[in-house]
Amino acid sequence: MASSGEDTSNEGDAPPAAATMAVGAHLLGFSDEILLHILSHVPSTDLVLNVRRTCRKLAVLCLDKSLTHTVLLQKDYEASEDKVKQVVKEIGREIQQLNMAGCYWLSGATIEHVARCRGLVKVNLSGCHLTSVRLSKMLSALQHLRSLAIDVSPGFDAGQLSGECKATLSRVRELKQTLYTPSYGVVPCCTSLEKLLLYFEILDRTREGAVLSGQLMVGQSNVPHYQNLRVFYARLAPGYINQEVVRLYLAVLSDRTPENLHAFLISVPGSFAESGATKNLLDSMARNVALDALQLPKSWLNGSSLLQHMKFNNPFYFSFSRCALSGGHLIQRVINGGRDLRSLASLNLSGCVHCLSPDSLLRKAEDDIDSGILETLVASCHNLQHLNLSAAHHHSADGPGRHLCQLLARLRRLRSLSLPVCSVAEAAPRADRAPAQPAPHAVPRGFGKKVRIGVQSYSGPLPGQAAPQPSSVFWALLKNVPFLERLELIGSSFSSAMPRNEPAIRNSLPPCSRAQSVGDSEVAAVGQLAFLRHLTLAQLPGILTGSGLVSIGLQCQQLQSLSLANLGLMGKVVYTSALSDMLKHCKRLKDLRLEQPYFSANAQFFQALSQCSALQRLCLVSRSGTLQPEAVLAFMARCLHVVVCHMFTGESLATCKSLQQSLLRRWGELTGRRPPMLTKCQRQPSAGSSPEFPVALPDRLHVCLCSLLLNCSGEIPAEVFLSLVMEIIC
């Protein structure tokens, strides 16, 4: 047998065809277990329709039950209607779990083919267009179904569900239901529910402008069955009608609280007034159940003694976002004086400005946290995997081992971490420390372009430039949590110009004074996280050149999602060159979101972005920003996987429409079809709605054009500009 070195040499001398055969022979030489693991990362459509036809061995392996048991079509934008039908025809009998969430381009007739997968146990059809009649016909054939996810859109009529369909629903134990109209949906038919997830996306007005009412129709007023419920989760979009409808769901719970309820979570943007029914429900929960997960609206917790009476079993999830929870209450009522909470995996204290301070509510933003409270929290919850301390000022006092980063470094199991920028700054400067570059911070803030004194432009990565300081507490924190997959470093007063679930604020607050000392070296320290997949950096005024971004691009090779907002002072974009150098190394980046006033989306930027070969979604929000149409056209021609491109800049409406028409004409030339007609700037179809174009959506470029949203902030009122955004995906 030839040695490995001889094999390599022979392959190098072989002609290309022989070399390809040799590589293939090596691949098929792996054990079936290894090949099955490799094939598990191949999209289901490619696996069944392409890979299976390459050779006999792969033909057998591709039909292995471990691969056909679960079929994932979510975000598979290349899954055309013909491909989906063919996959169902080939392996429909073997499929037990099917995820088609967000496949809005598939017609109802194609979705109906799911009925052929008679062995289905779990199916997710969120975002798919289904009528009541089609849903009834499909569910009637799925007698083994136990988990279901659907949308309830206007026109849904539970009276059209057949007896066979209701029999299937009576056996469903897990239901995820997204509501776009006031309705109970299929909940009354699910008499064996153990897990109920509700998403309220009801608009206050119809497209015609009529005001909707939260009162359900008489024919839908069947009482839901909650007696077996273990998990109740409700997430509300902004709007009074969503709150009105969720109260109707909760009214049933208040009459009789399920004895086996272990998780009760309600996520509400803004305020949500407590009613008599909800008070009865909470009192009943405090008396009769022991919870493992809890999330309530802040208005239900503020000023109440609910936490003091609530019983917890083995809690794994707590969320007290934006609650007036003091450090004393956190220790006494949640942690129970420092008891062992090794079961707690996730803790959300976002916006809890007093959670790390004593009971005094007179605390000012510049006051230091009580390190003893944080130390007790870390010692009690040492198995935490997800921690959110953002949207608050958490300033550490000077002293050994008292800094927030030093205490959090003990949580070595962390997988996601969200911190305010000022919390990672070193303690208040002492007299023996040299001031940290006061000149740039003396420049006044504003939206106009300012001259930045003493700031050098970025000229590429230089030896030693922006190197993380081993002595800094932030560097030490990241070194001790090497398996972190998600990191958010957000200014304590940051507010997005286009938020998803909060009202837009035109005049943002200035950054915290301590955040001024967090700059390029701290950003470069993020490069230690080799397993990082999602990164958010927002409102870092101390960024001078952005050179730390290059370190992240070079070392964080697993990065898939990147969100950058308001880096450096607001008057000038100082990190464009560094960002371009960073993007050249982000080969696995799928989502990019930039929110920066005066950003110039020029040829240099799009040229660098074109090297992100896996990019799927791009969102650019730049008040008074510019873009080059030719660069956008070249970028879209090179990046073949882009399906969402949202651009909000200061360009004229005429420029945006011209660019849009150019893309449509190019699409027509490539596909040979008549381009879809666009009379105005369109937005991406939301989950549950059908595209507004008269042709099907199997083509990648067509999906991109349907998702394209180009608008300007200069020629339309700000209110209209902000209301156009339904969903920012990046």
Side-chain angles (χ1 to χ4, degrees):
M1 180 179 293
S3 65
S4 59
E6 293 173 350
D7 286 342
T8 303
S9 176
N10 291 339
E11 290 175 9
D13 298 335
T20 302
M21 293 177 62
V23 172
H26 282 300
L27 177 63
L28 296 178
F30 288 131
S31 65
D32 289 353
E33 290 77 9
I34 295 178
L35 288 175
L36 287 174
H37 179 73
I38 295 174
L39 293 174
S40 67
H41 296 277
V42 179
S44 301
T45 51
D46 285 339
L47 198 68
V48 175
L49 304 180
N50 298 323
V51 180
R52 187 167 67 93
R53 294 183 169 87
T54 55
C55 67
R56 293 182 179 179
K57 183 171 184 177
L58 290 180
V60 174
L61 290 178
C62 286
L63 296 181
D64 188 86
K65 289 185 177 181
S66 64
L67 299 178
T68 59
H69 174 275
T70 302
V71 173
L72 303 177
L73 299 178
Q74 182 183 19
K75 294 184 179 180
D76 187 356
Y77 298 103
E78 297 183 0
S80 65
E81 297 201 351
D82 292 337
K83 288 183 179 180
V84 172
K85 293 178 182 178
Q86 190 65 24
V87 168
V88 171
K89 180 180 179 180
E90 298 274 354
I91 62 171
R93 295 181 179 180
E94 307 295 330
I95 302 175
Q96 295 187 28
Q97 297 186 20
L98 177 62
N99 189 346
M100 301 179 69
C103 294
Y104 60 86
W105 60 89
L106 298 178
S107 65
T110 301
I111 301 297
E112 197 172 325
H113 280 67
V114 172
R116 299 184 180 183
C117 307
R118 297 185 179 272
L120 270 181
V121 177
K122 182 176 183 179
V123 60
N124 189 338
L125 300 174
S126 299
C128 298
H129 184 65
L130 277 177
T131 62
S132 306
V133 175
R134 278 205 168 99
L135 179 65
S136 177
K137 183 178 180 180
M138 183 179 62
L139 294 183
S140 298
L142 305 179
Q143 300 181 5
H144 302 284
L145 194 66
R146 296 297 181 269
S147 178
L148 174 65
I150 59 171
D151 292 347
V152 178
S153 301
F156 178 85
D157 184 4
Q160 296 179 338
L161 303 180
S162 65
E164 293 81 1
C165 172
K166 293 180 179 179
T168 297
L169 290 172
S170 68
R171 294 184 288 268
V172 169
R173 298 177 181 176
E174 299 181 4
L175 175 64
K176 175 187 175 184
Q177 189 170 262
T178 304
L179 296 169
Y180 293 95
T181 186
S183 173
Y184 279 124
V186 299
V187 173
C189 302
C190 302
T191 57
S192 302
L193 271 184
E194 296 181 3
K195 184 177 181 180
L196 178 59
L197 310 178
L198 298 172
Y199 295 79
F200 296 87
E201 298 284 346
I202 310 171
L203 299 178
D204 292 340
R205 295 177 179 270
T206 64
R207 291 186 176 182
E208 293 76 22
V211 179
L212 288 177
S213 172
Q215 295 298 322
L216 303 185
M217 296 174 59
V218 176
Q220 301 175 351
S221 59
N222 298 318
V223 177
H225 299 271
Y226 292 149
Q227 60 268 24
N228 299 319
L229 203 63
R230 297 174 59 87
V231 177
F232 181 89
Y233 174 80
R235 191 192 72 182
L236 282 67
Y240 76 92
I241 191 171
N242 291 309
Q243 299 183 10
E244 201 172 325
V245 174
V246 77
R247 283 194 176 96
L248 296 173
Y249 280 83
L250 295 176
V252 181
L253 276 176
S254 63
D255 293 336
R256 182 181 177 183
T257 305
E259 297 179 356
N260 295 324
L261 189 64
H262 287 276
F264 186 78
L265 307 104
I266 299 181
S267 175
V268 182
S271 60
F272 184 23
E274 190 176 16
S275 64
T278 56
K279 289 181 180 179
N280 294 336
L281 170 61
L282 297 177
D283 291 340
S284 177
M285 289 171 53
R287 293 192 308 266
N288 303 319
V289 300
L291 296 176
D292 294 331
L294 178 66
Q295 178 177 355
L296 296 176
K298 61 179 182 180
S299 57
W300 296 11
L301 288 175
N302 292 345
S304 71
S305 59
L306 176 65
L307 290 179
Q308 188 173 0
H309 302 290
M310 194 72 70
K311 295 187 292 291
F312 300 106
N313 188 19
N314 293 307
F316 63 87
Y317 177 88
F318 282 148
S319 178
F320 305 109
S321 178
R322 302 192 181 278
C323 293
L325 186 69
S326 68
H329 289 169
L330 178 65
I331 298 300
Q332 297 171 10
R333 300 181 181 180
V334 180
I335 305 179
N336 195 14
R339 68 169 177 168
D340 187 0
L341 286 180
R342 66 182 64 188
S343 61
L344 193 63
S346 179
L347 179 61
N348 184 358
L349 297 173
S350 173
C352 299
V353 296
H354 305 292
C355 66
L356 299 181
S357 303
D359 292 343
S360 175
L361 298 180
L362 301 178
R363 176 181 182 266
K364 299 179 180 179
E366 59 271 15
D367 293 343
D368 295 333
I369 64 173
D370 187 339
S371 59
I373 295 176
L374 182 58
E375 190 168 8
T376 302
L377 175 65
V378 170
S380 302
C381 312
H382 50 273
N383 287 330
L384 271 179
Q385 298 181 26
H386 312 282
L387 178 62
N388 190 340
L389 295 173
S390 62
H393 296 271
H394 295 314
H395 299 168
S396 300
D398 199 4
R402 300 180 60 190
H403 196 282
L404 178 140
C405 291
Q406 294 173 319
L407 296 174
L408 295 184
R410 304 176 188 176
L411 300 174
R412 299 180 180 272
R413 297 177 181 268
L414 280 178
R415 294 297 181 269
S416 69
L417 179 62
S418 182
L419 295 174
V421 176
C422 56
S423 69
V424 306
E426 298 290 339
R430 299 193 304 260
D432 58 343
R433 294 180 181 173
Q437 300 182 2
H441 308 320
V443 181
R445 301 182 186 91
F447 289 102
K449 293 186 177 182
K450 313 289 193 306
V451 178
R452 303 192 65 192
I453 304 173
V455 178
Q456 298 179 354
S457 60
Y458 174 77
S459 58
L462 300 175
Q465 185 180 25
Q469 303 172 6
S471 60
S472 71
V473 290
F474 186 57
W475 184 91
L477 167 62
L478 299 185
K479 181 181 179 181
N480 283 277
V481 288
F483 300 107
L484 207 64
E485 298 178 1
R486 181 185 296 271
L487 176 64
E488 295 181 349
L489 201 58
I490 305 175
S492 52
S493 55
F494 172 73
S495 178
S496 174
M498 292 186 173
R500 174 66 178 94
N501 281 330
E502 298 290 342
I505 300 176
R506 197 69 178 273
N507 298 320
S508 58
L509 298 175
C512 176
S513 58
R514 288 206 186 185
Q516 306 283 357
S517 61
V518 179
D520 295 314
S521 61
E522 284 75 17
V523 172
V526 179
Q528 300 177 86
L529 304 175
F531 298 95
L532 190 67
R533 296 176 180 270
H534 309 277
L535 175 63
T536 298
L537 300 174
Q539 201 181 42
L540 277 77
I543 296 296
L544 301 182
T545 63
S547 55
L549 296 174
V550 184
S551 301
I552 297 175
L554 287 169
Q555 301 176 58
C556 301
Q557 290 297 303
Q558 304 296 324
L559 192 64
Q560 297 180 7
S561 175
L562 176 64
S563 178
L564 305 176
N566 296 1
L567 302 188
L569 297 184
M570 296 291 286
K572 184 178 181 181
V573 184
V574 297
Y575 62 94
T576 303
S577 298
L579 177 61
S580 298
D581 285 344
M582 174 195 186
L583 293 175
K584 297 175 183 178
H585 307 289
C586 298
K587 302 302 181 182
R588 299 188 180 183
L589 189 66
K590 294 182 179 180
D591 302 337
L592 175 62
R593 188 181 195 278
L594 293 177
E595 183 173 338
Q596 187 79 36
Y598 303 104
F599 188 86
S600 176
N602 52 24
Q604 177 191 4
F605 168 72
F606 281 110
Q607 176 66 31
L609 191 59
S610 300
Q611 301 187 43
C612 301
S613 54
L615 191 69
Q616 295 181 353
R617 290 171 288 275
L618 169 65
C619 176
L620 174 61
V621 180
S622 180
R623 191 176 297 278
S624 302
T626 61
L627 62 85
Q628 293 182 2
E630 297 78 9
V632 177
L633 291 171
F635 161 71
M636 295 299 295
R638 287 191 293 264
C639 290
L640 302 180
H641 297 287
V642 174
V643 292
V644 174
C645 182
H646 289 176
M647 295 186 185
F648 301 88
T649 68
E651 292 292 343
S652 66
L653 190 59
T655 300
C656 295
K657 288 185 176 180
S658 175
L659 174 58
Q660 200 168 42
Q661 292 300 325
S662 298
L663 288 170
L664 291 174
R665 283 194 299 270
R666 178 167 297 183
W667 175 83
E669 294 172 358
L670 292 176
T671 61
R673 303 180 190 176
R674 180 181 178 182
M677 297 300 295
L678 287 181
T679 58
K680 61 181 180 179
C681 294
Q682 302 278 4
R683 59 183 161 195
Q684 181 198 6
S686 62
S689 63
S690 58
E692 300 180 15
F693 305 98
V695 294
L697 292 171
D699 194 276
R700 195 282 318 168
L701 183 58
H702 188 197
V703 176
C704 171
L705 292 177
C706 287
S707 301
L708 185 62
L709 174 56
L710 296 175
N711 221 315
C712 69
S713 61
E715 294 191 358
I716 57 177
E719 293 76 10
V720 178
F721 172 65
L722 296 176
S723 66
L724 284 172
V725 185
M726 177 175 293
E727 182 177 0
I728 300 300
I729 294 185
C730 299

